[in-house]
Amino acid sequence: MNTEYLYVQHHSWLFSWLRRKLDCHAQAADIAHDTFLKLLIKPYSKDLQEPRAFLLTIARGLVVDHWRREDLHHAWQEAMAGIPEDITPSVEQQQILLATLQAIARLLETLKPRVREAFLLAQLEDKPYADIARYLGVSIRTVERYIAEALYQCYQLRFSDE
Amino acid sequence: MSNAPQLPAPDTALVKQAIAWLIQLKSKENDQATLTGCIAWRQSSSEHELAWQRVNLMLGEMQQDLNGIPDGIQVSQVMQNTMRHMQKRRSIKLLALAAIAGSTALMTREVMPWQPWLSDYHTTTGERRSMMLADGSELFLNTDSSVNISFDEHQRLIILNQGEIMIKTGSDSSSPRNRPLRVQTRHAMLEAIGTQFVVRLQQDTTLLSMQQGKVSMMPAAFHAPQKIAEAGQDYLIYQDRLDSVQLPMEADSWTLGALVVKEMPLADFLAEVARYRTGHLGCDPSVADLRLSGVFQLDDIDKLLALLPHKLPVVITYRTRWWVNVDRRA
């Protein structure tokens, strides 16, 4: 079962499914396209038993990426609205920052909410552990455990390609 | 790694140990024993050192990537907002996607359980926000504050865990009966009687400042006196007593993004301002008692501080961005 065959057989329903999910023709077309692109890049078993389920898994991941990018962009714009113009970074700088934040957001989603909150306060706001402990209503030991867990995830993400 | 490029990636256990050292160093700042211990651990083998280097490389890169973020942007807030939206989208939409895929086993990503965001609100340092509650009341959260909101058929309860809030009570018209609106702190229970008021949680006491209407104050201790606060009055509420006080500032002006003070000692003023920014903000004892009056915008604290030398014989010293001192002008 090659990618071309998969494309011919499945592009049409995948596209209409995405269009229903995203309410947008162009985005649905993009993500449908990216789904098959991933198949080309990523090796997969040639005797795919459930091609529909397989394609949906990939497409769903891309939809989540798309949402995350949108949500992050929105939250970022909201925050930037309160910043004086003379210290606003250039569009290019903002793109770079958003890409970094996107990677962090992907990581954060794998963390438990409290671990995530502790990590954000410690690493991005540089709050002392004692303050975080008080804020979360847990012991400093627990905060240290949370941060250790989050940093280990960061580490794995950073060196995952080795 | 420049010092040991030929070494294979360190094992998981060593990476975790390196992270543990890093955390201990941050947790116990300037602790000589921890520092010595960490150095000894690093020096005990080249694998240890490599693990240490890589963890620090990862952190350094993260810091560097985030360096371009302008001051005043609360990154953690941006991230939390993003997460919140994502979570909502996932719990609503992804379940539907799973059903179509026909195989829940393919749901590799965990769908997080719905968090009770609707009932917990918080702000980070420097942030302020306002919101409408289910009963039509308006709730304002000042910097670095946190509340739990729990409305049931008997009461509208707001628990102030940290920081400061202002409430403009609504009519609660959708409820069949008039539920009391209560604010609870670790020092007291406050019950609103048609009203607008500010509650600030401090170390040993809760500060209540009345703008309109009345609030009945019930300190936590069983035998403590109860009293009704009227418009224009300010009270310090301890667990076992109530003290009427006169504030040298307008308690609710932060809801408009300003600090309005009258004849306020400089030390107190700086303590107020310090709530809106991270880091140390202090002053020399020789200027602590200088009196200050005026309206100060809270949106840009550095700008606010820069105004002080125009009003008082002081200079602002930035030792680092996070360590600011106000000294007497020579």
Side-chain angles (χ1 to χ4, degrees):
Chain A
M1 205 185 291
N2 62 24
T3 307
E4 202 180 310
Y5 174 81
L6 278 176
Y7 187 92
V8 171
Q9 290 292 305
H10 298 286
H11 181 273
S12 157
W13 69 259
L14 184 66
F15 172 64
S16 46
W17 177 81
L18 283 165
R19 201 175 44 190
R20 236 179 15 253
K21 285 300 128 197
L22 296 162
D23 283 328
C24 172
H25 191 281
Q27 277 164 7
D30 279 355
I31 292 186
H33 180 79
D34 289 350
T35 305
F36 287 100
L37 206 62
K38 278 222 155 172
L39 285 185
L40 285 175
I41 298 164
K42 209 178 169 175
Y44 60 95
S45 161
K46 294 293 169 197
D47 56 335
L48 212 49
Q49 291 302 310
E50 288 190 64
R52 284 175 75 106
F54 184 65
L55 287 169
L56 273 172
T57 308
I58 298 176
R60 196 169 50 224
L62 291 170
V63 167
V64 169
D65 280 344
H66 168 75
W67 282 340
R68 185 189 301 113
R69 210 163 29 241
E70 251 189 1
D71 289 339
L72 180 62
H73 199 79
H74 185 76
W76 176 257
Q77 291 298 341
E78 227 172 58
M80 287 301 289
I83 296 295
E85 229 166 276
D86 55 311
I87 61 163
T88 302
S90 70
V91 177
E92 290 78 19
Q93 280 172 310
Q94 291 196 40
Q95 291 304 330
I96 295 167
L97 287 172
L98 280 170
T100 304
L101 294 179
Q102 171 98 354
I104 295 178
R106 201 175 298 129
L107 167 94
L108 292 175
E109 282 160 34
T110 66
L111 302 175
K112 286 183 277 271
R114 314 215 95 198
V115 174
R116 176 195 309 161
E117 193 147 23
F119 170 75
L120 283 171
L121 291 169
Q123 294 308 125
L124 303 187
E125 305 285 341
D126 207 22
K127 294 255 196 241
Y129 294 161
D131 290 6
I132 299 172
R134 211 173 312 121
Y135 179 74
L136 295 177
V138 297
S139 69
I140 293 184
R141 290 281 313 149
T142 304
V143 171
E144 290 175 359
R145 224 182 47 236
Y146 287 167
I147 306 288
E149 192 179 325
L151 287 181
Y152 184 65
Q153 292 290 333
C154 289
Y155 180 92
Q156 284 194 311
L157 190 77
R158 166 63 180 78
F159 296 105
S160 59
D161 48 351
E162 283 184 6
Chain B
M1 242 39 36
S2 57
N3 56 339
Q6 74 284 15
L7 284 174
D11 305 349
T12 305
L14 292 183
V15 171
K16 287 187 173 168
Q17 285 173 30
I19 289 172
W21 277 115
L22 201 87
I23 287 170
Q24 283 312 304
L25 284 178
K26 182 171 170 182
S27 196
K28 303 183 185 119
E29 244 179 320
N30 300 327
D31 179 59
Q32 199 54 45
T34 309
L35 194 61
T36 319
C38 176
I39 292 170
W41 180 82
R42 286 171 56 186
Q43 288 174 344
S44 65
S45 90
S46 53
E47 279 96 356
H48 287 191
E49 179 63 19
L50 179 64
W52 174 260
Q53 294 285 347
R54 281 164 58 110
V55 168
N56 278 283
L57 174 74
M58 177 268 295
L59 281 178
E61 284 175 346
M62 198 184 342
Q63 276 313 320
Q64 204 174 0
D65 288 342
L66 295 171
N67 260 348
I69 291 178
D71 298 338
I73 293 249
Q74 304 273 343
V75 190
S76 66
Q77 200 62 36
V78 169
M79 298 312 270
Q80 289 285 19
N81 287 341
T82 306
M83 293 300 116
R84 224 166 292 169
H85 279 118
M86 284 298 290
Q87 236 158 300
K88 207 188 305 186
R89 284 179 137 160
R90 287 185 158 204
S91 44
I92 296 164
K93 296 197 176 172
L94 277 187
L95 289 173
L97 304 198
I100 293 172
S103 163
T104 44
L106 280 164
M107 290 276 295
T108 46
R109 283 164 184 275
E110 180 193 10
V111 175
M112 303 230 180
W114 180 249
Q115 295 293 303
W117 287 110
L118 289 175
S119 57
D120 294 347
Y121 294 102
H122 71 269
T123 51
T124 49
T125 301
E127 188 194 7
R128 291 182 300 278
R129 58 188 289 204
S130 65
M131 64 213 65
M132 186 76 83
L133 302 181
D135 63 337
S137 294
E138 262 182 287
L139 174 67
F140 296 76
L141 256 72
N142 203 356
T143 172
D144 198 16
S145 302
S146 134
V147 292
N148 305 129
I149 294 170
S150 147
F151 284 11
D152 61 23
E153 52 182 326
H154 305 295
Q155 64 174 349
R156 295 171 287 166
L157 179 64
I158 299 170
I159 300 167
L160 176 59
N161 298 313
Q162 183 179 324
E164 181 172 23
I165 54 175
M166 181 172 94
I167 294 158
K168 286 186 189 176
T169 53
S171 57
D172 198 21
S173 51
S174 61
S175 167
R177 66 163 195 249
N178 199 1
R179 298 172 297 175
L181 185 137
R182 295 178 172 133
V183 177
Q184 190 187 328
T185 72
R186 55 175 177 265
H187 308 112
M189 177 75 94
L190 307 170
E191 190 170 316
I193 315 170
T195 203
Q196 177 180 330
F197 58 101
V198 172
V199 183
R200 184 197 293 198
L201 185 60
Q202 307 178 123
Q203 196 66 31
D204 308 317
T205 162
T206 293
L207 174 69
L208 170 69
S209 179
M210 293 300 306
Q211 277 82 53
Q212 286 169 28
K214 294 174 184 176
V215 162
S216 140
M217 301 176 283
M218 291 158 272
F222 183 65
H223 54 81
Q226 302 191 355
K227 207 168 175 174
I228 290 182
E230 316 240 356
Q233 294 182 335
D234 303 317
Y235 278 92
L236 279 179
I237 307 168
Y238 298 85
Q239 281 185 345
D240 55 357
R241 69 172 201 277
L242 299 157
D243 288 349
S244 171
V245 289
Q246 192 101 45
L247 296 179
M249 60 181 284
E250 283 181 20
D252 61 337
S253 59
W254 58 266
T255 60
L256 304 169
L259 195 55
V260 183
V261 302
K262 206 176 161 194
E263 294 289 301
M264 192 177 206
L266 181 60
D268 295 349
F269 177 80
L270 293 175
E272 238 353 270
V273 172
R275 299 172 58 212
Y276 298 90
R277 78 195 288 284
T278 324
H280 170 88
L281 177 59
C283 70
D284 191 78
S286 67
V287 295
D289 273 335
L290 295 175
R291 301 292 156 135
L292 188 65
S293 301
V295 178
F296 298 85
Q297 295 298 325
L298 288 170
D299 295 329
D300 185 340
I301 299 299
D302 288 324
K303 214 179 265 176
L304 180 159
L305 292 173
L307 283 175
L308 293 181
H310 299 281
K311 294 180 167 272
L312 298 170
V314 296
V315 286
I316 313 293
T317 320
Y318 281 86
R319 259 170 244 166
T320 70
R321 212 182 117 52
W322 309 115
W323 188 281
V324 182
N325 216 50
V326 179
D327 298 310
R328 186 170 282 279
R329 197 184 302 152

